[in-house]
Amino acid sequence: HCGADQAGALALVARTTVAAASLLTPAATYVRVDGQVVGTGAQLIAAGVLPNGLWQHRNGFYLNPTELVVWTGSNGDLTALGTPTGTCNDWASTASPSGAFGIGVVKDGRWWSYNASSCSASARFLICVEP
């Protein structure tokens, strides 16, 4: 959930039926709240190094060291469907053993693909995009 004050914003996560890349427009430019360009849709889909990091909340505050983890549902490729184990059972279960995450305070490929964590873990965030 990306927040009621973000009408039209979508969580950039893989699902078992929808790849995260389908939520992005390759030719569009995505920017943070402070106006810094994060990258084009194509750059985000490639899950590589971004011009600027994602590390800003929608209220303008920046992520701090305890707010590193962003749910992604897929380690590696934004064009791939998520798996039940990578998506916390399609984002429906905190009892699922694991979910894929990235690190929200880096610009390299780890922003999307880093590791897996318990689905019941606290302090996990979402990358929200507006189509």
Side-chain angles (χ1 to χ4, degrees):
H1 175 49
C2 284
D5 61 336
Q6 290 181 295
L10 303 169
L12 185 65
V13 293
R15 293 178 171 75
T16 59
T17 57
V18 178
S22 68
L23 303 172
L24 299 168
T25 302
T29 299
Y30 293 87
V31 297
R32 294 189 316 223
V33 175
D34 64 4
Q36 293 294 310
V37 172
V38 174
T40 64
Q43 288 173 309
L44 291 165
I45 291 167
V49 178
L50 301 174
N52 287 294
L54 306 163
W55 48 75
Q56 190 174 33
H57 289 285
R58 66 179 181 253
N59 63 6
F61 291 109
Y62 295 94
L63 295 174
N64 66 53
T66 65
E67 301 172 325
L68 300 175
V69 176
V70 292
W71 289 120
T72 62
S74 169
N75 274 327
D77 190 347
L78 275 77
T79 63
L81 294 177
T83 64
T85 56
T87 64
C88 297
N89 202 23
D90 231 7
W91 308 111
S93 174
T94 58
S96 292
S98 66
F101 71 88
I103 303 296
V105 294
V106 297
K107 295 189 303 184
D108 62 35
R110 296 174 298 158
W111 71 267
W112 178 260
S113 178
Y114 186 70
N115 208 334
S117 178
S118 167
C119 294
S120 63
S122 61
R124 301 297 187 252
F125 297 89
L126 295 171
I127 301 166
C128 297
V129 295
E130 291 185 32

